[in-house]
Amino acid sequence: WRIDDVMVSYAAQGGSVGPHYDNYDVFLIQGLGTRLWHVGGLCSGASATLDNEQLRLLADFTAVQTWLLQPGDMLYLPPLYGHWGIADSSDCMTYSIGFRAPSYSEILSDYCDDRIAHLQQELRYTDIGLPAQSNPGEIGPDAIATIRDILQQQLTDSRHITDWFGRFMTRPKYHIDATDSEDSANSAKLLSLMQEYGIIFRDPASRFAFFRDGQDSVLFVNGESYSCHAAKSTLAQLLAAQDAYQTEQLTEFLNDLECAKLLLQLLNQGSLYFDDEGYH
């Protein structure tokens, strides 16, 4: 559920981006050819860099470890560790799997914006019970305690935090076009398509995750949340676990009205799809 994206870099012999660091976990999988990786120490915003803010190219880099990746090899790079990959063949192709790591400022900003949208304007600060004070211009400890209580009430609502975080972490990185409503499926058409194709695929650009709440679950898809109870909870966990689903796995869920509605909604919005070429 934390995977952000997969980037592919191609380089000829000696090709390289240069020494840099990332703020998130990275898994580097070697495809074609070979690449030599130099790994340095921890970096930070205070590390000297060249004039390129986007890449954070390090002005000073000292390798601590060196690895030559062959096809199929994988190198894990923790956040903030400097690294420098240099193509060691003429057909070097490396797959970089990055993980979402929102900054504290992004987390606070987005959560507060989301919480503000759900608060009524009638909820206000009041001075009820405030004792008399000698200086009317003094902000006393009682006022600060009241403000602290207000903030804590809004920042410790576990249910709201769960719902917000699931939506926050599954928002698509890129725009996803919704399916044309004229092509929307209904229950009968869905069963027919499942029997015809034999398999449903999850859109590779869509993000699925779920949170387990006892016997129930909350399914998160592309920034939206869906409360799931009973059989629908089982379906939610299945949808989040795989990227393709055989007809046999889903047919039983069509007998449950809530499950059928969820499958239809995800299919009609393009989060699930049938391949046009057909799979049987």
Side-chain angles (χ1 to χ4, degrees), residues 161-194:
I161 291 173
T162 299
D163 182 71
W164 160 79
F165 187 66
R167 291 183 284 109
F168 175 65
M169 291 299 287
T170 58
R171 286 179 195 158
K173 187 172 184 177
Y174 306 105
H175 175 72
I176 298 177
D177 292 324
T179 302
D180 192 333
S181 59
E182 295 181 359
D183 297 327
S184 296
N186 53 38
S187 297
K189 185 177 180 180
L190 174 57
L191 180 59
S192 175
L193 289 171
M194 289 175 62

Side-chain angles (χ1 to χ4, degrees), residues 138-156:
E138 178 185 5
I139 297 177
D142 290 339
I144 298 301
T146 299
I147 291 298
R148 185 177 61 248
D149 290 343
I150 291 173
L151 293 174
Q152 289 178 339
Q153 289 171 11
Q154 303 308 318
L155 294 175
T156 57

Side-chain angles (χ1 to χ4, degrees), residues 172-273:
K173 187 172 184 177
Y174 306 105
H175 175 72
I176 298 177
D177 292 324
T179 302
D180 192 333
S181 59
E182 295 181 359
D183 297 327
S184 296
N186 53 38
S187 297
K189 185 177 180 180
L190 174 57
L191 180 59
S192 175
L193 289 171
M194 289 175 62
Q195 293 173 340
E196 176 184 355
Y197 290 103
I199 189 170
I200 292 180
F201 292 93
R202 195 169 85 186
D203 175 30
S206 292
R207 298 178 182 277
F208 282 62
F210 78 94
F211 175 80
R212 195 193 311 269
D213 184 11
Q215 297 298 316
D216 301 328
S217 299
V218 181
L219 176 67
F220 304 101
V221 181
N222 295 338
E224 299 293 335
S225 62
Y226 305 86
S227 296
C228 301
H229 312 286
K232 192 177 178 183
S233 176
T234 303
L235 174 60
Q237 295 175 40
L238 172 64
L239 294 175
Q242 302 174 196
D243 55 13
Y245 320 92
Q246 299 291 335
T247 297
E248 293 77 11
Q249 293 178 286
L250 298 179
T251 301
E252 61 178 288
F253 292 107
L254 295 182
N255 297 322
D256 185 284
L257 180 59
E258 292 301 314
C259 290
K261 286 182 178 178
L262 177 61
L263 285 171
L264 285 170
Q265 184 171 355
L266 296 178
L267 180 67
N268 289 330
Q269 70 187 30
S271 300
L272 301 177
Y273 72 97

Side-chain angles (χ1 to χ4, degrees), residues 16-180:
S16 173
V17 172
H20 63 284
Y21 69 94
D22 298 300
N23 287 317
Y24 47 84
D25 302 273
V26 178
F27 290 86
L28 300 165
I29 301 175
Q30 189 60 30
L32 296 175
T34 57
R35 189 183 294 264
L36 185 66
W37 285 99
H38 300 289
V39 181
L42 278 170
C43 302
S44 70
S47 300
T49 59
L50 301 179
D51 189 17
N52 191 318
E53 294 183 1
Q54 185 175 4
L55 291 178
R56 288 188 294 272
L57 295 177
L58 296 168
D60 299 307
F61 176 81
T62 301
V64 177
Q65 294 177 311
T66 299
W67 306 88
L68 180 64
L69 265 61
Q70 306 285 345
D73 288 344
M74 182 178 74
L75 175 65
Y76 165 65
L77 291 170
L80 303 180
Y81 275 86
H83 50 279
W84 186 0
I86 304 173
D88 196 54
S89 65
S90 59
D91 58 350
C92 180
M93 186 175 290
T94 304
Y95 297 82
S96 174
I97 303 175
F99 278 62
R100 287 198 167 187
S103 66
Y104 286 7
S105 62
E106 290 173 320
I107 290 173
L108 284 171
S109 175
D110 197 275
Y111 176 78
C112 289
D113 286 345
D114 189 84
R115 195 71 185 107
I116 288 170
H118 293 84
L119 291 177
Q120 299 177 352
Q121 289 298 311
E122 290 77 12
L123 295 173
R124 301 273 174 159
Y125 171 88
T126 65
D127 280 334
I128 296 177
L130 184 69
Q133 54 192 61
S134 58
N135 189 327
E138 178 185 5
I139 297 177
D142 290 339
I144 298 301
T146 299
I147 291 298
R148 185 177 61 248
D149 290 343
I150 291 173
L151 293 174
Q152 289 178 339
Q153 289 171 11
Q154 303 308 318
L155 294 175
T156 57
D157 186 334
S158 297
R159 185 171 295 276
H160 183 85
I161 291 173
T162 299
D163 182 71
W164 160 79
F165 187 66
R167 291 183 284 109
F168 175 65
M169 291 299 287
T170 58
R171 286 179 195 158
K173 187 172 184 177
Y174 306 105
H175 175 72
I176 298 177
D177 292 324
T179 302
D180 192 333

